[in-house]
Amino acid sequence: MRLRALLDTGTLGLRLLGGGEELDRTVRGVMTTDLRDPSRYLSGGELVLTGLAWRREPADSERFVRILASAGVAGLAAGEAELGSVPDDLVVACSRHHLPLFSVVEDVSFASITEYVVRQVSGERAGDLAAVVDRHRRLMTSGPAGGGPEVVLDLLGSDLDLRAWVLSPTGRQIAGSTLADAGPELPAETAARLAGEHLAASRTGRRGPCRLTLGGTAYSLFPIRGSGRDLRETVLSDWLLAVEADAGDWAEERLDLLHGVTQLIAVERDRRDAARTVRRRLAQEVLELVQTGAAPAEIAARLRVAAPVLLPGLGTAPHWQVVVARVEWSGGDVPGGPVAQTLLEEVLVDPGTFGPDPSDRIAVAHTGDEAVALVPLPAVPDDDGARDARDTPATGLQADTLLSVVREPLTRGLADDGRLTIGVSASVHSAEGLRGALEEARHARRVAAARSGRVCAAGHEELASHVLLLPFVPDDVRRAFTARLLDPLRDYDRRHRAELITTLEAFLDCDGSWTRCATRLHLHVNTLRYRVGRIEQLTGRDLSRLEDKLDFFLALRMS
């Protein structure tokens, strides 16, 4: 439909304030917003309805209209209820950008205009579109009537006969239909595969929806876009809408409806992010106190404030873990800190949990390319039943299992120009231990960074081993050290097939026990003694000395 048709419909209460020469523009949809920057939810051709709550000063009008014009919207309709009349600065801004502007009288609701536009635009009713508009309006409102993403997924199931799920970038299920006949849940393995395909498609710039078939079932993946200017700022944090259908043969009207659904869910995503503000601020305050050397009493006081927020109803949490993550992009032109913060908030959630807010108990701050998470561990009371700092902490996070579920999709999202490394501290039971835990997590992350792979993690348990030192040995030193000790043995093995390297490894692994080593290698002890003697002769080392044993051990580990 065209804008002119809206103006000619008297029941809509629209009055033209400017842009009469543009009334032949086609309206493809409608959107209600009071966001200062709604660009992430605009795809072009919308009639934008606004109550002007975004306007704080006259200069705001120019910025708002410029965003709408850049997005290619068809027109703007401003309600008179907030300010009594449409301000002149908005009229001037719309004129400057050639954007048709209407005013909406106070006694006409935006829902009425929305319903009219949807009824006129959609050539595929797919059920009662009045119910569609009502559900959409409820989802956009605040309070319990909104219902969350499940409301719109139920709509897709009841009115369009579509099974759909909202997934995180790691494949964790954020929302699914609550209808009784919605069918079985999406298997975790399938969800992870879908998330990986979505991230890979996004990084290659393919326009959504991404379509694929898994296990004989067709899926279409619709991105739920974030607000970052660079794709790398959002690709690892955006949700996606997975629909069990092949959208390749859909009519344009149905595709428009699904894109509209993603816009509505994006509002829910923004609400979720806003709810995290308090937890992020708490983490930032604690982090700043720890890094600036504040007194333990001051840090403890801040932790007492954080604990009830992160562990509602469970009292003070005496044990904490620190997790540090770093996201680095080739070229260094995109800050990694915000992406690492969002990823930690997702990765630290149990992949088996369901819903948009299981990360309520995780506080994550970021600075530069680094994000730091403060993870509370509820204490298990001792035999006396009382909770105190002496209690045993609940099982903490383990680096070796932290990324087991999410490594594949995140690796695809990082593609060939990004890297995620994570370090995990041991648990501490007091404010005095937080600074050490932070440094421990940072050291562990450096160990992870020295490994190969796009997604790597290391834990505190590795810091008490030689493994901590080996990754930081310069490559030229590593090569020279191993060549000096091992090259003579390798050369001898190539010429004589003597298996000196194999013998050396077994001898060290058996702690220098002649009997155990000979048994393992199926050799006579005298043969083993001959081989060890040859190793000592070729290298000038003595395998009865601890220092020489240690040098050989490190050389083998670094080779």
Side-chain angles (χ1 to χ4, degrees), residues 108-430:
V108 174
S109 69
F110 285 172
S112 299
I113 299 175
T114 299
E115 180 176 343
Y116 179 84
V117 172
V118 172
R119 285 184 178 276
Q120 295 299 315
V121 170
S122 180
E124 182 177 340
R125 295 284 297 277
D128 185 3
L129 286 184
V132 173
V133 175
D134 181 64
R135 293 286 187 93
H136 286 192
R137 185 178 71 251
R138 286 176 54 210
L139 187 60
M140 295 291 285
T141 60
S142 60
E150 287 80 8
V151 171
V152 73
L153 297 185
D154 285 350
L155 165 70
L156 294 178
S158 62
D159 290 7
L160 301 183
D161 196 26
L162 292 175
R163 295 184 67 209
W165 304 266
V166 177
L167 305 178
S168 77
T170 64
R172 186 174 61 85
Q173 185 169 320
I174 302 296
S177 175
T178 61
L179 297 177
D181 58 351
E185 293 295 332
L186 190 66
E189 298 79 4
T190 301
R193 285 282 306 278
L194 294 178
E197 291 292 338
H198 163 72
L199 291 173
S202 297
R203 289 308 311 275
T204 57
R206 280 188 279 163
R207 181 181 177 86
C210 170
R211 297 152 47 212
L212 70 154
T213 300
L214 293 179
T217 302
Y219 296 93
S220 296
L221 311 178
F222 294 80
I224 299 173
R225 293 297 185 195
S227 58
R229 289 169 294 179
D230 190 298
L231 180 62
R232 291 172 293 178
E233 295 181 69
T234 62
V235 68
L236 296 180
S237 58
D238 286 345
W239 289 350
L240 67 138
L241 177 66
V243 180
E244 190 180 276
D246 185 348
D249 56 355
W250 281 5
E252 185 176 352
E253 290 80 7
R254 177 169 286 210
L255 284 172
D256 286 346
L257 181 58
L258 265 293
H259 285 300
V261 167
T262 65
Q263 294 171 1
L264 295 174
I265 297 173
V267 174
E268 291 296 312
R269 171 63 191 269
D270 285 349
R271 288 179 180 173
R272 195 281 305 266
D273 282 346
R276 285 180 167 175
T277 302
V278 173
R279 299 192 298 278
R280 288 173 170 176
R281 186 171 66 246
L282 287 172
Q284 194 71 47
E285 292 173 355
V286 172
L287 178 62
E288 290 175 357
L289 290 174
V290 171
Q291 293 189 131
T292 56
E298 186 177 359
I299 299 174
R302 179 53 54 190
L303 286 177
R304 284 194 293 273
V305 173
V309 176
L310 298 175
L311 291 173
L314 295 183
T316 302
H319 298 275
W320 303 85
Q321 266 185 298
V322 175
V323 181
V324 171
R326 191 177 183 91
V327 171
E328 297 172 291
W329 300 102
S330 300
D333 55 329
V334 176
V339 178
Q341 180 182 46
T342 303
L343 277 180
L344 269 190
E345 289 171 336
E346 173 63 29
V347 169
L348 295 180
V349 175
D350 182 347
T353 58
F354 176 85
D357 297 315
S359 57
D360 284 351
R361 297 181 180 181
I362 300 166
V364 186
H366 78 82
T367 175
D369 288 332
E370 181 186 77
V372 179
L374 189 65
V375 182
L377 302 176
V380 179
D382 289 336
D383 295 337
D384 59 6
R387 290 182 181 274
D388 56 40
R390 297 186 301 269
D391 292 340
T392 303
T395 303
L397 300 167
Q398 300 295 319
D400 56 349
T401 59
L402 192 60
L403 299 175
S404 58
V405 177
V406 302
R407 178 176 277 108
E408 181 181 354
L410 291 184
T411 298
R412 302 194 70 179
L414 290 162
D416 57 356
D417 61 346
R419 194 152 190 257
L420 167 67
T421 51
I422 294 178
V424 182
S425 80
S427 64
V428 295
H429 70 280
S430 65

Side-chain angles (χ1 to χ4, degrees), residues 8 25 55-56 96 120 155 160 178-179 222 283 289 304-305 315 345 371 382 455 460 470 520 543 552 559:
D8 293 339
R25 291 186 178 185
R55 184 184 178 276
R56 311 281 171 74
R96 181 180 298 114
Q120 295 299 315
L155 165 70
L160 301 183
T178 61
L179 297 177
F222 294 80
L289 290 174
R304 284 194 293 273
V305 173
E345 289 171 336
D382 289 336
V455 180
H460 60 91
L470 296 186
R520 174 181 294 189
L543 278 169
F552 277 122
S559 64

